[in-house]
């Protein structure tokens, strides 16, 4: 065993110990480090005009999206969606917004007042009923959705070089993170969706999430062929998730993304341990597999080239 590999193993062992200590101390609730939806980030917008809603309509549509689990912030009337080629699904319920129409002089004579005090009241509130893009078929869910001007994730040159050097196909877009075995690709949420949590920055969160999915990628049959069915049976999926999260912690440590394991790593591992009814031995099995995955990925990435990129 070389000095380099010994040092890396020691780092992994120390991180595993810290994760276990954090679990024993109590990890608190598990938090996802990116927004549940784009609709929570920007003001609701109208599909026809592209304009953001204003005033009380912003609050009303945010509330509707939250209570009904909508993932996006684009809205329109039934006819506006039809004009875009979409079809509101049968049985979908609309949400109410209000707009104000100016009355012309001959629209309603009894509204007319000669004194200046009454002139500014010549507006009438009109109700409009809108549907969220999640209620509509035949349209792209991200159609015309505005993106925030500020990207909270600061690109780390070493980490970017590492990800590129593995040659894993990583696609960015949407609000889910996952490894897709059938086409051997990784999908990451848009970077602008990441807000971090109380204990990590958006940058740490993005790379830790990317490394989590990269560890899953390493376990494919044509790579490490990682399987746990024989030992853990129905809990094999939970163990694989622990491998991915501990492996992400190892890679964050190896690449200097964080000086120590994020509390979120421990919370995630603890979440899967609870599903397995607290099998503490599973942590060590997962840590061993995670170390092999981190070493495998480092071999693909050629650490000396990653360092040179920094």
């Amino acid at each position: 065993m070389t000095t380099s590999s010994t040092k890396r193993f020691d780092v992994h062992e120390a991180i595993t110990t810290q994760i276990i200590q954090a679990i024993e101390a109590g990890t608190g609730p598990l938090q996802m480090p990116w927004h549940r939806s784009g609709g929570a980030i920007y003001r609701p917008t109208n599909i026809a005009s592209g304009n953001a809603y204003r005033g009380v309509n912003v609050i009303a549509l945010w509330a509707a999206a939250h209570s009904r689990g909508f993932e996006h912030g684009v809205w329109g009337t039934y006819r506006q969606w039809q004009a875009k080629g979409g079809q509101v699904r049968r049985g979908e319920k609309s949400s109410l917004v209000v707009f104000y129409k100016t009355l012309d002089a001959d629209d309603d004579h009894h509204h007319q007042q000669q004194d200046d005090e009454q002139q500014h009241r010549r507006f009438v509130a009109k109700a409009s009923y809108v549907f969220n893009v999640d209620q509509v078929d035949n349209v792209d869910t991200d159609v015309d959705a505005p993106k925030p001007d500020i990207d909270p994730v600061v690109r780390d040159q070493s980490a970017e070089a590492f990800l590129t050097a593995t040659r894993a196909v990583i696609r960015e877009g949407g609000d889910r993170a996952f490894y897709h075995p059938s086409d051997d690709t990784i999908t990451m949420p848009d970077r602008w969706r990441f807000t971090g949590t109380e204990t990590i920055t958006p940058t740490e969160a993005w790379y830790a999430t990317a490394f989590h999915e990269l560890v899953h990628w390493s376990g494919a049959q044509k790579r490490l062929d990682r399987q746990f069915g024989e030992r853990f049976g129905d809990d094999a999926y939970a163990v694989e998730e622990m491998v991915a999260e501990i492996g992400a912690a190892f890679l964050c440590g190896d690449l200097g993304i964080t000086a120590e394991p994020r509390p979120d790593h421990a919370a995630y591992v603890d979440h899967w341990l609870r599903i397995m009814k607290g099998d503490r031995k599973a942590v060590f099995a997962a840590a061993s597999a995670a170390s092999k995955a981190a070493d495998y990925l480092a071999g693909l990435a050629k650490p000396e080239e990653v360092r040179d990129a920094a």
Side-chain angles (χ1 to χ4, degrees), residues 197-218:
T197 69
E198 294 177 357
T199 57
I200 60 169
T201 67
T203 298
E204 292 169 342
W206 195 91
Y207 286 110
T209 303
F211 292 153
H212 177 108
E213 302 307 332
L214 190 64
V215 174
H216 281 315
W217 177 87
S218 76

Side-chain angles (χ1 to χ4, degrees), residues 192-250:
W192 54 263
R193 296 182 189 273
F194 280 75
T195 57
T197 69
E198 294 177 357
T199 57
I200 60 169
T201 67
T203 298
E204 292 169 342
W206 195 91
Y207 286 110
T209 303
F211 292 153
H212 177 108
E213 302 307 332
L214 190 64
V215 174
H216 281 315
W217 177 87
S218 76
Q221 185 176 13
K222 63 183 178 182
R223 298 186 186 94
L224 293 177
D225 192 20
R226 191 166 53 243
Q227 300 181 40
F228 296 106
E230 184 175 345
R231 175 176 174 182
F232 292 100
D234 292 342
D235 289 328
Y237 177 75
V239 178
E240 171 62 22
E241 287 299 320
M242 283 195 287
V243 170
E245 194 62 15
I246 295 172
F250 290 167

Side-chain angles (χ1 to χ4, degrees), residues 51-73:
N51 295 331
Y53 287 91
R54 301 176 63 183
V56 70
N57 290 332
V58 175
I59 306 301
L61 293 180
W62 270 343
H66 176 75
S67 64
R68 298 166 69 180
F70 295 147
E71 297 283 339
H72 302 85

Side-chain angles (χ1 to χ4, degrees), residues 5 9-10 22 25 48 57 62 107 131 133 137-138 143 168 171 187 198 203 205-206 211 245:
S5 63
F9 174 78
D10 290 342
N57 290 332
W62 270 343
D107 275 348
F131 297 88
V133 64
D137 290 327
N138 303 323
V143 64
R171 299 167 178 166
T187 296
E198 294 177 357
T203 298
W206 195 91
F211 292 153
E245 194 62 15

Side-chain angles (χ1 to χ4, degrees), residues 118-186:
Q118 296 296 325
Q119 289 299 315
H120 71 282
R121 296 183 182 178
R122 291 186 298 177
F123 296 90
V124 61
K126 296 285 187 179
S128 181
Y129 297 90
V130 295
F131 297 88
N132 186 273
V133 64
D134 286 352
Q135 300 173 282
V136 184
D137 290 327
N138 303 323
V139 293
D140 182 352
T141 53
D142 280 332
V143 64
D144 292 347
K147 303 297 187 290
D149 294 332
I150 298 175
D151 186 344
V153 176
V154 178
R155 291 180 183 267
D156 182 280
Q157 290 184 334
S158 293
E160 291 290 333
F162 183 92
L163 291 170
T164 299
T166 65
R167 294 178 176 79
V169 177
I170 301 176
R171 299 167 178 166
E172 296 181 32
D175 52 16
R176 293 179 58 213
F178 58 93
Y179 166 60
H180 200 275
S182 64
D183 61 3
D184 198 35
T185 62
I186 292 169

